[in-house]
Amino acid sequence: MRRFFGPVNKNRVSLLLFADKSSSAYSLGDPLIPERTVSLFSKGQPPRNRIPFLMKNMSTSTSSWSVEKEMNEVERIELLSSIEDAHGGVTVDVKESMDSKMFSLMLKTSLFYWTQQGKRGVWIKLPIEFANLVEPAVKEGFRYHHAEPDYLMLVKWISETTDTLPENASHRVGVGAFVMNDKGEVFVRELYIIILDPFLVAFQVCWLIDMVLVVQESNGRFKGTNVWKLPTGVVNESEDICTAAVREVKEETGIDTKFIEILAFRQSHQSFFRKSDLFFVCMLRPLSFDIQKQDSEIEAAQWMRAEDYADQPFNQKNELFKNMAKICLTKSEKYYAGFSTMSLTTASGKSTYLYFNNKDFEPSA
């Protein structure tokens, strides 16, 4: 069998690679440079009826394999450009369009190369405009990991060890805003009249009634139910919980608020697109009081007595809503310590918030 010997570079490792004509399996043959080559064949000659390939181990972005076709024609096959990650894997970020057949050949070649290099997992990020490359990747054993509006991420575990690739993001985070009007509302409970000759003395007993900001939604499960509920919403990507609560109230009611603390939170599973759901009940203090509702999502919005909000039949029949309302009332009636925010900087220099109970802990100066 004739062999093809490429140019030797002492900074590269050259291997003679064989591929069965009848299958896509690859194997290494006799080393071209024994002292710098790892071979899958420790003894004997390479199997017959195989086509020789030549691989040069260069930088990942420029690596290529030369293929000898019909023993006298050589075709250069570029490896897919990739970046090594910190966990023993590689990430391919496709930035240029290519023919799906050529991509398939390059992917096969690259997978063999990465396997020989001892890589563990392979990630392929495909922009939406390169959707034609999804099928060849799936045929090579890649699976969907997650999708964003502009790209699809596929992944494959290529090591013989246990697959430890992280799963897609598992939770969605939501917020509910308990906005207490601390100005209160004057409410006359009783009127007393005392006749003291020659004067008529009258006095009345008044209370300041706590008012809560509530809305009726024009969409979703509460549409048409006449249920008054707290303003709620979903935390956006790269958005803090405290910021999301303030934003949602502003969007739905036009009320400006200040975040005070997290009163409670709950976790549920198999919720939105099979994801788990974290929901944080946040207390906010209003900075304005003139309601301007969001017409696209909100049917009505108003300030309501806290007791009337809690006493709604829906809240009383639903254990979760009943206890959430009770927690809010407890906060309005007596001291209830939730979780306040502490602005911090992480070891990597990012700004973040630590949520803590300020009843028994005093932050360091």
mmCIF file of all heavy atoms in Angstrom, residues 192-214:
data_model
loop_
_atom_site.group_PDB
_atom_site.id
_atom_site.type_symbol
_atom_site.label_atom_id
_atom_site.label_comp_id
_atom_site.label_asym_id
_atom_site.label_seq_id
_atom_site.Cartn_x
_atom_site.Cartn_y
_atom_site.Cartn_z
ATOM 1 N N TYR A 192 -69.842 59.469 67.717
ATOM 2 C CA TYR A 192 -70.392 59.588 69.067
ATOM 3 C C TYR A 192 -70.887 61.029 69.286
ATOM 4 O O TYR A 192 -70.209 61.989 68.929
ATOM 5 C CB TYR A 192 -69.323 59.260 70.121
ATOM 6 C CG TYR A 192 -68.864 57.826 70.079
ATOM 7 C CD1 TYR A 192 -67.802 57.442 69.264
ATOM 8 C CD2 TYR A 192 -69.504 56.870 70.866
ATOM 9 C CE1 TYR A 192 -67.389 56.129 69.227
ATOM 10 C CE2 TYR A 192 -69.082 55.549 70.844
ATOM 11 C CZ TYR A 192 -68.029 55.177 70.021
ATOM 12 O OH TYR A 192 -67.625 53.879 69.989
ATOM 13 N N ILE A 193 -72.077 61.181 69.892
ATOM 14 C CA ILE A 193 -72.645 62.495 70.215
ATOM 15 C C ILE A 193 -72.944 62.536 71.715
ATOM 16 O O ILE A 193 -73.644 61.664 72.242
ATOM 17 C CB ILE A 193 -73.934 62.789 69.424
ATOM 18 C CG1 ILE A 193 -73.632 62.748 67.906
ATOM 19 C CG2 ILE A 193 -74.534 64.135 69.834
ATOM 20 C CD1 ILE A 193 -74.870 62.965 67.060
ATOM 21 N N ILE A 194 -72.405 63.496 72.359
ATOM 22 C CA ILE A 194 -72.631 63.663 73.795
ATOM 23 C C ILE A 194 -73.269 65.038 74.023
ATOM 24 O O ILE A 194 -72.774 66.061 73.528
ATOM 25 C CB ILE A 194 -71.313 63.561 74.584
ATOM 26 C CG1 ILE A 194 -70.665 62.185 74.345
ATOM 27 C CG2 ILE A 194 -71.546 63.783 76.071
ATOM 28 C CD1 ILE A 194 -69.327 62.032 75.044
ATOM 29 N N ILE A 195 -74.364 65.061 74.764
ATOM 30 C CA ILE A 195 -75.058 66.314 75.062
ATOM 31 C C ILE A 195 -74.603 66.796 76.435
ATOM 32 O O ILE A 195 -74.820 66.132 77.451
ATOM 33 C CB ILE A 195 -76.578 66.132 75.038
ATOM 34 C CG1 ILE A 195 -77.037 65.662 73.658
ATOM 35 C CG2 ILE A 195 -77.282 67.433 75.439
ATOM 36 C CD1 ILE A 195 -78.519 65.377 73.571
ATOM 37 N N LEU A 196 -73.922 67.878 76.424
ATOM 38 C CA LEU A 196 -73.497 68.527 77.662
ATOM 39 C C LEU A 196 -74.071 69.942 77.677
ATOM 40 O O LEU A 196 -73.663 70.788 76.895
ATOM 41 C CB LEU A 196 -71.959 68.576 77.742
ATOM 42 C CG LEU A 196 -71.248 67.228 77.818
ATOM 43 C CD1 LEU A 196 -69.748 67.436 77.770
ATOM 44 C CD2 LEU A 196 -71.640 66.486 79.090
ATOM 45 N N ASP A 197 -75.078 70.121 78.507
ATOM 46 C CA ASP A 197 -75.771 71.421 78.546
ATOM 47 C C ASP A 197 -74.800 72.540 78.918
ATOM 48 O O ASP A 197 -74.083 72.427 79.907
ATOM 49 C CB ASP A 197 -76.891 71.357 79.579
ATOM 50 C CG ASP A 197 -77.778 72.604 79.529
ATOM 51 O OD1 ASP A 197 -78.104 73.031 78.394
ATOM 52 O OD2 ASP A 197 -78.114 73.091 80.605
ATOM 53 N N PRO A 198 -74.706 73.556 78.143
ATOM 54 C CA PRO A 198 -75.581 73.909 77.013
ATOM 55 C C PRO A 198 -74.936 73.581 75.664
ATOM 56 O O PRO A 198 -75.278 74.191 74.653
ATOM 57 C CB PRO A 198 -75.733 75.412 77.191
ATOM 58 C CG PRO A 198 -74.377 75.852 77.678
ATOM 59 C CD PRO A 198 -73.862 74.695 78.507
ATOM 60 N N PHE A 199 -73.949 72.682 75.675
ATOM 61 C CA PHE A 199 -73.215 72.398 74.424
ATOM 62 C C PHE A 199 -73.567 71.003 73.891
ATOM 63 O O PHE A 199 -73.889 70.084 74.663
ATOM 64 C CB PHE A 199 -71.708 72.494 74.656
ATOM 65 C CG PHE A 199 -71.249 73.822 75.160
ATOM 66 C CD1 PHE A 199 -70.935 73.991 76.507
ATOM 67 C CD2 PHE A 199 -71.156 74.909 74.298
ATOM 68 C CE1 PHE A 199 -70.512 75.221 76.977
ATOM 69 C CE2 PHE A 199 -70.737 76.142 74.778
ATOM 70 C CZ PHE A 199 -70.417 76.308 76.116
ATOM 71 N N LEU A 200 -73.468 70.900 72.594
ATOM 72 C CA LEU A 200 -73.624 69.600 71.933
ATOM 73 C C LEU A 200 -72.240 69.196 71.450
ATOM 74 O O LEU A 200 -71.652 69.847 70.587
ATOM 75 C CB LEU A 200 -74.606 69.689 70.749
ATOM 76 C CG LEU A 200 -74.823 68.379 69.974
ATOM 77 C CD1 LEU A 200 -75.480 67.327 70.873
ATOM 78 C CD2 LEU A 200 -75.683 68.646 68.748
ATOM 79 N N VAL A 201 -71.709 68.148 72.029
ATOM 80 C CA VAL A 201 -70.346 67.714 71.692
ATOM 81 C C VAL A 201 -70.429 66.457 70.831
ATOM 82 O O VAL A 201 -71.110 65.484 71.199
ATOM 83 C CB VAL A 201 -69.514 67.427 72.962
ATOM 84 C CG1 VAL A 201 -68.131 66.959 72.576
ATOM 85 C CG2 VAL A 201 -69.454 68.689 73.817
ATOM 86 N N ALA A 202 -69.779 66.503 69.736
ATOM 87 C CA ALA A 202 -69.744 65.318 68.842
ATOM 88 C C ALA A 202 -68.297 64.986 68.506
ATOM 89 O O ALA A 202 -67.471 65.877 68.282
ATOM 90 C CB ALA A 202 -70.536 65.597 67.581
ATOM 91 N N PHE A 203 -67.983 63.754 68.505
ATOM 92 C CA PHE A 203 -66.642 63.338 68.078
ATOM 93 C C PHE A 203 -66.755 61.995 67.363
ATOM 94 O O PHE A 203 -67.708 61.238 67.560
ATOM 95 C CB PHE A 203 -65.678 63.265 69.271
ATOM 96 C CG PHE A 203 -65.999 62.185 70.262
ATOM 97 C CD1 PHE A 203 -65.409 60.935 70.166
ATOM 98 C CD2 PHE A 203 -66.912 62.429 71.298
ATOM 99 C CE1 PHE A 203 -65.713 59.957 71.082
ATOM 100 C CE2 PHE A 203 -67.218 61.449 72.209
ATOM 101 C CZ PHE A 203 -66.612 60.198 72.114
ATOM 102 N N GLN A 204 -65.806 61.714 66.562
ATOM 103 C CA GLN A 204 -65.815 60.466 65.797
ATOM 104 C C GLN A 204 -64.482 59.733 65.959
ATOM 105 O O GLN A 204 -63.432 60.346 66.159
ATOM 106 C CB GLN A 204 -66.086 60.744 64.318
ATOM 107 C CG GLN A 204 -65.093 61.682 63.675
ATOM 108 C CD GLN A 204 -65.523 62.088 62.278
ATOM 109 O OE1 GLN A 204 -66.678 61.926 61.916
ATOM 110 N NE2 GLN A 204 -64.595 62.616 61.489
ATOM 111 N N VAL A 205 -64.561 58.436 65.891
ATOM 112 C CA VAL A 205 -63.367 57.592 65.984
ATOM 113 C C VAL A 205 -62.921 57.241 64.575
ATOM 114 O O VAL A 205 -63.726 56.731 63.775
ATOM 115 C CB VAL A 205 -63.656 56.307 66.789
ATOM 116 C CG1 VAL A 205 -62.411 55.438 66.841
ATOM 117 C CG2 VAL A 205 -64.133 56.664 68.188
ATOM 118 N N CYS A 206 -61.692 57.569 64.255
ATOM 119 C CA CYS A 206 -61.180 57.344 62.898
ATOM 120 C C CYS A 206 -59.975 56.412 62.924
ATOM 121 O O CYS A 206 -59.224 56.362 63.896
ATOM 122 C CB CYS A 206 -60.790 58.671 62.249
ATOM 123 S SG CYS A 206 -62.123 59.894 62.208
ATOM 124 N N TRP A 207 -59.808 55.707 61.840
ATOM 125 C CA TRP A 207 -58.641 54.850 61.666
ATOM 126 C C TRP A 207 -57.980 55.183 60.338
ATOM 127 O O TRP A 207 -58.643 55.601 59.384
ATOM 128 C CB TRP A 207 -59.037 53.365 61.641
ATOM 129 C CG TRP A 207 -59.343 52.786 62.974
ATOM 130 C CD1 TRP A 207 -58.511 52.124 63.813
ATOM 131 C CD2 TRP A 207 -60.618 52.799 63.622
ATOM 132 N NE1 TRP A 207 -59.164 51.732 64.939
ATOM 133 C CE2 TRP A 207 -60.464 52.125 64.864
ATOM 134 C CE3 TRP A 207 -61.882 53.329 63.296
ATOM 135 C CZ2 TRP A 207 -61.498 51.943 65.750
ATOM 136 C CZ3 TRP A 207 -62.903 53.154 64.182
ATOM 137 C CH2 TRP A 207 -62.722 52.478 65.398
ATOM 138 N N LEU A 208 -56.678 54.963 60.275
ATOM 139 C CA LEU A 208 -55.984 55.016 58.987
ATOM 140 C C LEU A 208 -55.967 53.609 58.416
ATOM 141 O O LEU A 208 -55.415 52.683 59.017
ATOM 142 C CB LEU A 208 -54.549 55.534 59.167
ATOM 143 C CG LEU A 208 -54.404 57.029 59.445
ATOM 144 C CD1 LEU A 208 -52.940 57.375 59.655
ATOM 145 C CD2 LEU A 208 -54.983 57.847 58.297
ATOM 146 N N ILE A 209 -56.595 53.435 57.299
ATOM 147 C CA ILE A 209 -56.729 52.111 56.693
ATOM 148 C C ILE A 209 -55.603 51.897 55.678
ATOM 149 O O ILE A 209 -55.369 52.743 54.807
ATOM 150 C CB ILE A 209 -58.095 51.956 55.996
ATOM 151 C CG1 ILE A 209 -59.215 52.255 56.994
ATOM 152 C CG2 ILE A 209 -58.225 50.565 55.410
ATOM 153 C CD1 ILE A 209 -59.206 51.357 58.213
ATOM 154 N N ASP A 210 -54.917 50.755 55.793
ATOM 155 C CA ASP A 210 -53.857 50.425 54.841
ATOM 156 C C ASP A 210 -54.469 50.097 53.488
ATOM 157 O O ASP A 210 -55.422 49.312 53.389
ATOM 158 C CB ASP A 210 -53.044 49.227 55.337
ATOM 159 C CG ASP A 210 -52.243 49.556 56.586
ATOM 160 O OD1 ASP A 210 -51.729 50.677 56.661
ATOM 161 O OD2 ASP A 210 -52.133 48.682 57.476
ATOM 162 N N MET A 211 -53.902 50.687 52.449
ATOM 163 C CA MET A 211 -54.382 50.480 51.099
ATOM 164 C C MET A 211 -53.314 49.746 50.286
ATOM 165 O O MET A 211 -52.125 50.080 50.360
ATOM 166 C CB MET A 211 -54.722 51.809 50.436
ATOM 167 C CG MET A 211 -55.700 52.662 51.242
ATOM 168 S SD MET A 211 -57.326 51.886 51.430
ATOM 169 C CE MET A 211 -57.950 52.044 49.764
ATOM 170 N N VAL A 212 -53.753 48.756 49.515
ATOM 171 C CA VAL A 212 -52.838 47.937 48.705
ATOM 172 C C VAL A 212 -53.137 48.165 47.226
ATOM 173 O O VAL A 212 -54.312 48.262 46.827
ATOM 174 C CB VAL A 212 -53.000 46.439 49.044
ATOM 175 C CG1 VAL A 212 -52.080 45.591 48.184
ATOM 176 C CG2 VAL A 212 -52.719 46.197 50.516
ATOM 177 N N LEU A 213 -52.093 48.236 46.431
ATOM 178 C CA LEU A 213 -52.246 48.394 44.981
ATOM 179 C C LEU A 213 -52.572 47.046 44.354
ATOM 180 O O LEU A 213 -51.815 46.083 44.500
ATOM 181 C CB LEU A 213 -50.953 48.959 44.380
ATOM 182 C CG LEU A 213 -50.952 49.225 42.871
ATOM 183 C CD1 LEU A 213 -51.979 50.297 42.510
ATOM 184 C CD2 LEU A 213 -49.558 49.649 42.407
ATOM 185 N N VAL A 214 -53.703 46.965 43.648
ATOM 186 C CA VAL A 214 -54.133 45.707 43.038
ATOM 187 C C VAL A 214 -54.572 45.940 41.597
ATOM 188 O O VAL A 214 -54.898 47.063 41.201
ATOM 189 C CB VAL A 214 -55.285 45.055 43.832
ATOM 190 C CG1 VAL A 214 -54.807 44.590 45.197
ATOM 191 C CG2 VAL A 214 -56.446 46.041 43.978
#
